[in-house]
Amino acid sequence: MDITNLQRRLPELTHLLPSQQEWMERLLLQLAFNDNKHIYIVGADGSGKSTLAMNIAELFSEQHNIALLNSTVEESQVHAQLMQQWFNLPADPNSALVEQVLAAYQQQPLLVIIDDAERYSAELLQQISLLPCLQFCFSADTQDNAALTLTINRISSADAQQLLSHEELNSIELAERLANANGNMHLLLLPVRQSYNERVVADNTTALVNKTPLYIAIAAVLLVILLYIFWPKAEKPVQEIRYPVARDFEAKPVPVVTETPPAVNTEAELSKNEQQPLGLDVSEPVQTELAEATKSNTSSIAEAKPVADAKLDAGASVKPEVAPVQAVDTPVVENTSAEPVYAYDEALLLKMPKNQLAVQLAVLSSAAALQRFKKTYPQLTTLSYQRNWQGKMQLVILLAPFADAASAKAQLKQLPEALRATGPFVKVLQSVQTEIKARQYSAQD
């Protein structure tokens, strides 16, 4: 589609917000390099769908015969509205809509804008899709069979500053209003202070009414606990305690076993003992004798202990037995991963330093659109790669690499005027490589 006239008229829409201006430029870029006639535009409640629909109607009014289906048009009135707005003719209930449109069709291209498209049935939307016209469907829900889907930008701080300029808010108050709105322009424009106070009073009143039975139950439980604690209790009679008669027991001596540390006679022996591992301080014969002595009575323990002490005093050295280490052949794992095959310039972009920069020129949806772009701008040496965006494949066109931001911005100024109007921008090559790898991983899964 030739968008030269549309680009010329776009700056005349001065009432657009900054994010809406950027979105309109993105829309024109898609129309310039894609042949999609059915464009689905998705946005949440309060994101500005109706505002964008009216601006599209104003922008295309010179080149197209426009019909607008807003929230006031019921499904039963759609045929009559289209025939009335396009051709100023009544609708024929006994004839199909597409036949009536083809019979009355003239030279000027037709355009239909459907606001809140989710209100209409799938059968009616299918009938409209068969008409020879360009279609813009605004909806809060996505549609799988749409040829091209665009998402409305989330309102930014610059949008909020422009919308609330009459209130003279500081930066903190502006940020609070934007956070409370959560992307909804209707909530952003509400008087937050008044609505907040009213909401707090209503919430407190409701919470008090709902929690009254709970407070009563808690008070009853506390009362029962206090009565249980402070209620006077009957005194129990004191029972006589009888103590058993003490008997004289003959005290028997308890054998005391003392351990004598092994004597270290020389510094060489001390260094040798220090090199032994923990847990191997007693030789194997001594451990055997101690184990046998433990199984006997107290007298045998007393006899076995001097034997152990004598052997320890003799300076018996203990050498830990270390199991021989067997050599294990580690199998060599061969790298069977193959280098991925890319359809475009992904391999070249992955080899570039990730801290360098690139200039993103356009995002296309097909190889045919890429060829038209290169034919339109043959003087540009571009690189392209594939990425996944919201479940669909896209082709991104770049100029790269640039060593710094100054050289990248200088290249932006040298682009053709029509291409600069579409909003090219500078991005880091690391983000480009991340998108390429992300698509590679998704393809492997």
Side-chain angles (χ1 to χ4, degrees):
M1 177 187 293
D2 185 8
I3 63 171
T4 305
N5 188 40
L6 298 175
Q7 288 179 333
R8 178 184 58 81
R9 294 197 60 199
L10 184 58
E12 299 176 4
L13 305 178
T14 57
H15 54 279
L16 287 174
L17 297 175
S19 64
Q20 293 174 341
Q21 181 77 21
E22 189 273 336
W23 186 89
M24 294 288 286
E25 294 174 355
R26 181 156 53 99
L27 172 64
L28 295 182
L29 178 64
Q30 293 292 338
L31 294 176
F33 299 103
N34 294 281
D35 295 331
N36 297 316
K37 299 296 184 181
H38 185 195
I39 301 173
Y40 219 77
I41 302 166
V42 180
D45 293 339
S47 59
K49 296 190 295 295
S50 299
T51 303
L52 288 174
M54 297 300 297
N55 281 278
I56 289 177
E58 182 178 353
L59 184 64
F60 284 77
S61 59
E62 289 186 357
Q63 294 179 272
H64 291 75
N65 188 356
I66 298 175
L68 175 62
L69 301 178
N70 54 25
S71 58
T72 61
V73 181
E74 301 294 336
E75 182 165 347
S76 59
Q77 304 172 346
V78 169
H79 291 191
Q81 285 290 327
L82 291 177
M83 294 300 296
Q84 177 66 31
Q85 294 184 32
W86 274 338
F87 312 112
N88 197 20
L89 295 175
D92 184 3
N94 300 321
S95 179
L97 178 61
V98 63
E99 296 178 357
Q100 299 179 60
V101 172
L102 290 175
Y105 183 71
Q106 300 174 358
Q107 294 182 354
Q108 190 174 16
L110 301 179
L111 170 64
V112 59
I113 302 173
I114 306 175
D115 195 9
D116 295 334
E118 66 273 11
R119 298 181 299 109
Y120 300 127
S121 64
E123 181 181 359
L124 177 61
L125 295 177
Q126 180 65 23
Q127 295 177 11
I128 298 176
S129 65
L130 299 176
L131 301 178
C133 64
L134 179 63
Q135 303 174 39
F136 293 98
C137 293
F138 289 84
S139 175
D141 304 324
T142 58
Q143 189 178 23
D144 296 334
N145 59 352
L148 177 63
T149 300
L150 297 178
T151 304
I152 297 178
N153 297 345
R154 188 180 179 87
I155 55 175
S156 62
S157 57
D159 299 336
Q161 186 174 6
Q162 181 173 332
L163 289 171
L164 303 175
S165 58
H166 60 283
E167 297 191 24
E168 299 181 355
L169 302 176
N170 57 39
S171 58
I172 297 177
E173 293 174 336
L174 190 65
E176 291 178 353
R177 291 281 290 270
L178 187 60
N180 293 332
N182 193 23
N184 193 322
M185 293 187 187
H186 305 307
L187 296 179
L188 182 67
L189 296 175
L190 287 178
V192 174
R193 293 184 179 86
Q194 181 179 0
S195 60
Y196 174 77
N197 294 333
E198 293 175 354
R199 187 167 59 253
V200 168
V201 172
D203 292 345
N204 292 340
T205 304
T206 304
L208 182 61
V209 173
N210 293 335
K211 293 182 179 180
T212 299
L214 177 62
Y215 294 152
I216 296 175
I218 294 175
V221 172
L222 292 176
L223 180 60
V224 172
I225 294 174
L226 293 175
L227 289 175
Y228 177 79
I229 294 175
F230 296 103
W231 192 267
K233 301 178 180 179
E235 297 181 358
K236 296 181 179 180
V238 180
Q239 296 181 356
E240 181 180 358
I241 302 175
R242 297 182 178 182
Y243 297 95
V245 178
R247 297 181 180 181
D248 295 333
F249 294 93
E250 182 179 359
K252 296 181 180 181
V254 180
V256 179
V257 180
T258 59
E259 296 183 359
T260 305
V264 181
N265 297 326
T266 63
E267 294 182 358
E269 187 68 22
L270 177 59
S271 62
K272 181 178 181 181
N273 292 336
E274 289 178 351
Q275 297 176 358
Q276 297 176 359
L278 295 176
L280 298 175
D281 294 338
V282 183
S283 63
E284 183 176 356
V286 177
Q287 293 179 355
T288 304
E289 293 180 8
L290 289 176
E292 294 176 353
T294 305
K295 298 179 181 178
S296 62
N297 55 16
T298 307
S299 61
S300 61
I301 294 177
E303 294 175 1
K305 190 62 182 178
V307 177
D309 294 339
K311 291 188 176 184
L312 290 173
D313 292 337
S317 61
V318 179
K319 297 182 179 181
E321 296 183 359
V322 182
V325 180
Q326 297 181 357
V328 180
D329 295 334
T330 304
V332 179
V333 180
E334 296 182 358
N335 185 12
T336 59
S337 62
E339 185 72 18
V341 179
Y342 297 104
Y344 296 94
D345 301 309
E346 291 89 344
L348 179 60
L349 290 170
L350 288 174
K351 293 179 181 179
M352 295 181 180
K354 63 181 180 180
N355 58 346
Q356 291 189 351
L357 305 175
V359 175
Q360 179 169 316
L361 301 178
V363 179
L364 309 178
S365 60
S366 64
L370 176 60
Q371 296 300 325
R372 288 195 296 272
F373 182 91
K374 292 183 176 181
K375 186 176 180 181
T376 306
Y377 302 105
Q379 72 276 20
L380 298 178
T381 304
T382 60
L383 300 174
S384 58
Y385 68 93
Q386 288 180 305
R387 71 177 184 185
N388 289 333
W389 187 262
Q390 297 181 351
K392 296 183 179 181
M393 189 278 291
Q394 291 183 341
L395 284 173
V396 184
I397 304 177
L398 301 174
L399 292 176
F402 297 95
D404 50 31
S407 58
K409 291 180 179 179
Q411 180 61 47
L412 280 175
K413 296 179 180 179
Q414 297 176 4
L415 294 175
E417 182 178 357
L419 189 56
R420 288 202 310 271
T422 61
F425 59 92
V426 179
K427 63 190 301 184
V428 184
L429 276 173
Q430 183 178 4
S431 63
V432 174
Q433 296 171 356
T434 301
E435 293 176 348
I436 296 174
K437 294 177 181 178
R439 186 179 186 278
Q440 176 188 351
Y441 296 150
S442 63
Q444 293 175 356
D445 294 340

